[in-house]
Amino acid sequence: MPVPPMNRREFVQKSAVTGAAVAVAGTLATGEAQAAEHRPGGKAPKTWSFSVLGTTDLHSHVFDWDYYKDAAYSDAKGNSVGVARVATLIKQQRAAKGEHRVLLVDAGDIIQGTSLAYYFARVQPITDKGAPKHPMAVAMNHMRYDAAALGNHEFNYGIEVLRKFEEQCRFPLLGANALDAKTLRPAFPPYTVKRICVPGAPDIKVGILGLTNPGIALWDKDNVSGKMVFPGLVEQAKKYVPRLRALGCDVVFLTDHSGLDGSTSYGDALPYVENASNLVAEQVPGIDAILVGHTHVEVPSYTVKNAETGEEVLLSEPYCWGYRLSVFDFEVELQHGRWKVTKKTAQTLDPKGVDEDPEIKKLLEADHELVVKYVNTAVGTCTQDLSAADSCWKDVPIMDFIHQVQMDTVKAGLSTSDAALPLISVAAPFSRTADIPAGSVTIKDIAGLYIYDNTLYGKKLTGAQLRDYLEYAAKYYHQVPAGTAVDTATLTNANSFWDYMYDTAAGVSYEIDIAAAEGSRIKNLTYGGTAVADDQVFVVAVNNYRANGGSGYPHIATADIAYSSTNEIRQLMIDYVTAKGTLDPADFAATNWKLTQAGTPVF
């Protein structure tokens, strides 16, 4: 069932506690306070060292398990996933360096991304009375996180679920650029201040500032519109970094749910850069280091020179899903009564090969087994094996399944006048490894095909706008001149246009000429056997991410709405199979698109 939106009064009440959360964050931990009370006499130390450990984009991976395959996780690179293994690395770091010389921080995207996340947001929601705590809150509390930035996916299930998760965490969720839409005051703590105890000398004060992604305003518009706004990272860092320095912070550490290459996937739909960590480092003086997230890449160590001070800012991004752990090591020296950073380094550690933390296994194994049972629930049968392996360059039935569900759902919800318009669907091949087997179909088979928690819209586009939309999608392919062999290994993902960004269309027929230049690739676009006219109006079934401007497609974000729903498309697909009993490709409307080279079919 969809989670009802939080009303204005509830939201403002939550926002009002922000100041208290910031104030409490600066207090010493129990162990640090005890150490401070028993500092030995003698000569005070002049130098000290400490570390900040960082994770990001965990996406509710607790154990080294793939719920879509119902098996231990595996990939071509031999990675392991899950915080249970990362927790063991963290214990090793604390043991080697000293418990009170190590801080632990996350850069966001915690509560969405696996069947485990979905289960505790929708099937047995943490918002229900008497419901268990979110497994990620349990795991991260056990691991003793000091802070975490908000990620954009924190908002996927609505503010009520996020607030409940926040309530369950024993560490602050930081978002200096997540503001109440009415008051423009922080809706979450902007920062926290941690003290590292140095016996016989002043504490080292580490200010941790959290920044999230401005794209939330687009990607989760339905959940945040009118409630929260998300200004740019640079703009808010300029406000809060000086404040942390004024509070006496010796070290300022940022945790950004934002990549470091200055790119933006949503075009000019927002005035703020999506991946702005490098810009923050360059344009905001007073920052020592940044834990980077959002882009799911591994960057062990990267430096950016601040344009004003010339100081080097150290950045690191530990991939995603618990693949890696970032380790920032700082050396500081006491100068005129204040600690100053004299050296800083960063690296990433690979948890593969270490044992999972037995305490996390003990705490969460029952939750894990509950979700395993859920995803293995049979919902129907399929007449043949449906594979997504070729979905990025061929019209395949498994994609037709998504299109059919979207069109059937939108059609049933249209007004009488809009129902008279031609209806089509657009959808992306999210997973090349998805497969719905012949025979029994389970929830995990469908969840593995539609991996995001998107909801459904119907929007109106003209024929000319539809052509522009498909031309934009076609930039996904590298240009391959006529007569040149096509290698699928190098054909796709041109222009850093990833699979989740690439839409195919059903209900119309068309060709994509990969020999042609970008912008003139769509050929023979027809509906019902007739060429699509520029002024012809279509209802387009599309997910909320794309409908609100995700990936920067033209026209769709501003198009008139003919239908909208809060039901997740994945659940609609499960319901479709359950109602039909049998999944049969003969029931799907074929998408009828193909790749060509100057008119010659590629496949």
Side-chain angles (χ1 to χ4, degrees):
M1 296 291 292
V3 177
M6 181 178 286
N7 63 42
R8 166 68 63 182
R9 182 177 180 184
E10 290 172 322
F11 181 77
V12 172
Q13 285 174 337
K14 280 288 187 180
S15 300
V17 306
T18 297
V22 173
V24 171
T27 61
L28 285 173
T30 302
E32 292 171 331
Q34 291 172 345
E37 292 171 1
H38 297 91
R39 286 175 176 166
K43 191 175 181 181
K46 294 293 186 182
T47 60
W48 203 253
S49 63
F50 71 95
S51 299
V52 181
L53 311 182
T55 56
T56 191
D57 296 272
L58 295 172
H59 286 285
S60 284
H61 286 84
V62 174
F63 296 119
D64 197 6
W65 191 259
D66 187 334
Y67 291 100
Y68 301 140
K69 295 180 180 177
D70 194 29
Y73 180 84
S74 64
D75 65 19
K77 297 180 180 179
N79 291 307
S80 68
V81 299
V83 293
R85 289 199 197 281
V86 176
T88 301
L89 277 187
I90 291 165
K91 283 183 174 180
Q92 292 172 354
Q93 287 286 305
R94 285 173 172 151
K97 296 174 178 177
E99 288 284 323
H100 305 301
R101 292 191 187 220
V102 175
L103 300 176
L104 178 58
V105 178
D106 184 80
D109 275 5
I110 301 168
I111 62 171
Q112 179 278 341
T114 63
S115 296
L116 183 82
Y118 182 79
Y119 188 91
F120 287 98
R122 290 289 185 259
V123 182
Q124 190 179 356
I126 59 173
T127 49
D128 283 357
K129 187 176 181 179
K133 286 185 176 181
H134 197 288
M136 289 302 292
V138 174
M140 295 175 79
N141 287 342
H142 168 74
M143 295 163 70
R144 292 183 282 128
Y145 272 80
D146 292 286
L150 293 165
N152 54 285
H153 284 287
E154 259 66 84
F155 294 85
N156 287 174
Y157 298 118
I159 291 173
E160 184 183 5
V161 171
L162 173 55
R163 287 299 189 190
K164 190 65 179 181
F165 176 70
E166 179 189 30
E167 177 187 311
Q168 294 173 350
C169 293
R170 295 200 295 265
F171 53 90
L173 301 181
L174 306 178
N177 59 329
L179 310 182
D180 181 286
K182 186 175 181 180
T183 67
L184 298 183
R185 298 178 66 180
F188 293 83
Y191 58 83
T192 185
V193 178
K194 306 299 293 186
R195 294 175 180 265
I196 296 172
C197 176
V198 183
D203 294 337
I204 301 166
K205 294 177 69 175
V206 182
I208 303 172
L209 177 67
L211 295 163
T212 191
N213 206 287
I216 296 165
L218 287 179
W219 305 324
D220 266 302
K221 180 180 178 181
D222 296 342
N223 290 327
V224 302
S225 181
K227 299 173 184 176
M228 295 183 66
V229 293
F230 303 87
L233 284 84
V234 171
E235 291 78 1
Q236 292 302 98
K238 284 182 176 179
K239 177 178 180 179
Y240 284 103
V241 170
R243 185 173 299 184
L244 288 170
R245 291 295 182 183
L247 287 172
C249 290
D250 304 291
V251 179
V252 172
F253 185 94
L254 270 59
T255 173
D256 292 1
H257 193 75
S258 181
L260 53 70
D261 64 359
S263 67
T264 296
S265 70
Y266 40 72
D268 58 0
L270 292 175
Y272 307 114
V273 176
E274 177 181 353
N275 296 307
S277 290
N278 60 325
L279 302 178
V280 172
E282 181 184 4
Q283 297 177 24
V284 183
I287 299 167
D288 292 293
I290 303 177
L291 175 66
V292 178
H294 184 58
T295 47
H296 293 210
V297 296
E298 181 179 8
V299 183
S301 181
Y302 185 81
T303 57
V304 173
K305 182 176 290 189
N306 184 265
E308 182 175 326
T309 65
E311 295 290 331
E312 297 283 356
V313 181
L314 181 64
L315 302 93
S316 179
E317 182 173 3
Y319 217 159
C320 61
W321 298 4
Y323 283 159
R324 302 290 185 271
L325 174 71
S326 281
V327 179
F328 294 83
D329 290 314
F330 295 90
E331 294 181 13
V332 293
E333 183 177 51
L334 194 60
Q335 299 178 4
H336 309 294
R338 293 287 300 271
W339 293 103
K340 181 176 176 58
V341 175
T342 55
K343 184 179 179 182
K344 53 193 176 185
T345 60
Q347 61 176 316
T348 52
L349 302 181
D350 189 344
K352 180 180 61 181
V354 304
D355 293 333
E356 293 186 329
D357 184 332
E359 288 300 313
I360 290 181
K361 291 184 74 171
K362 183 178 178 181
L363 288 167
L364 294 174
E365 203 150 34
D367 288 348
H368 167 70
E369 292 300 329
L370 189 65
V371 176
V372 168
K373 181 179 179 181
Y374 164 73
V375 299
N376 281 285
T377 302
V379 293
T381 60
C382 190
T383 59
Q384 65 186 72
D385 181 80
L386 304 180
S387 171
D390 294 334
S391 59
C392 294
W393 47 81
K394 286 184 183 178
D395 173 8
V396 293
I398 199 168
M399 288 299 299
D400 296 339
F401 170 38
I402 299 174
H403 288 302
Q404 190 66 51
V405 171
Q406 292 190 165
M407 287 193 289
D408 284 357
T409 304
V410 170
K411 183 178 181 180
L414 292 176
S415 67
T416 301
S417 58
D418 287 340
L421 298 173
L423 173 64
I424 66 173
S425 169
V426 293
F430 292 140
S431 173
R432 301 188 190 194
T433 61
D435 187 273
I436 297 177
S440 179
V441 177
T442 63
I443 287 173
K444 75 174 186 295
D445 298 324
I446 298 171
L449 171 62
Y450 208 101
I451 60 177
Y452 295 108
D453 301 294
N454 294 326
T455 57
L456 187 60
Y457 270 83
K459 288 211 160 187
K460 297 180 184 179
L461 294 181
T462 65
Q465 291 172 331
L466 175 61
R467 182 180 293 276
D468 288 347
Y469 191 101
L470 296 176
E471 286 286 5
Y472 186 84
K475 72 177 187 176
Y476 170 73
Y477 296 107
H478 289 278
Q479 188 173 15
V480 185
T484 305
V486 176
D487 181 359
T488 56
T490 58
L491 175 63
T492 63
N493 306 122
N495 302 294
S496 297
F497 210 63
W498 310 116
D499 294 357
Y500 76 91
M501 302 169 75
Y502 170 61
D503 277 354
T504 62
V508 287
S509 298
Y510 61 100
E511 299 171 8
I512 303 174
D513 185 358
I514 59 174
E518 290 178 18
S520 58
R521 290 179 169 178
I522 301 302
K523 312 292 184 183
N524 302 320
L525 177 61
T526 63
Y527 176 81
T530 303
V532 170
D534 285 351
D535 60 352
Q536 191 172 3
V537 179
F538 293 86
V539 174
V540 182
V542 59
N543 69 45
N544 69 297
Y545 175 82
R546 198 75 85 234
N548 290 328
S551 301
Y553 274 77
H555 311 303
I556 195 74
T558 56
D560 290 341
I561 300 171
Y563 169 88
S564 67
S565 170
T566 57
N567 295 318
E568 276 106 353
I569 295 169
R570 181 198 300 114
Q571 188 61 49
L572 293 171
M573 293 166 66
I574 292 169
D575 293 345
Y576 177 95
V577 179
T578 303
K580 286 217 172 247
T582 301
L583 194 59
D584 187 347
D587 297 332
F588 307 153
T591 52
N592 292 323
W593 67 273
K594 60 185 176 182
L595 297 185
T596 64
Q597 287 173 296
T600 301
V602 174
F603 301 109

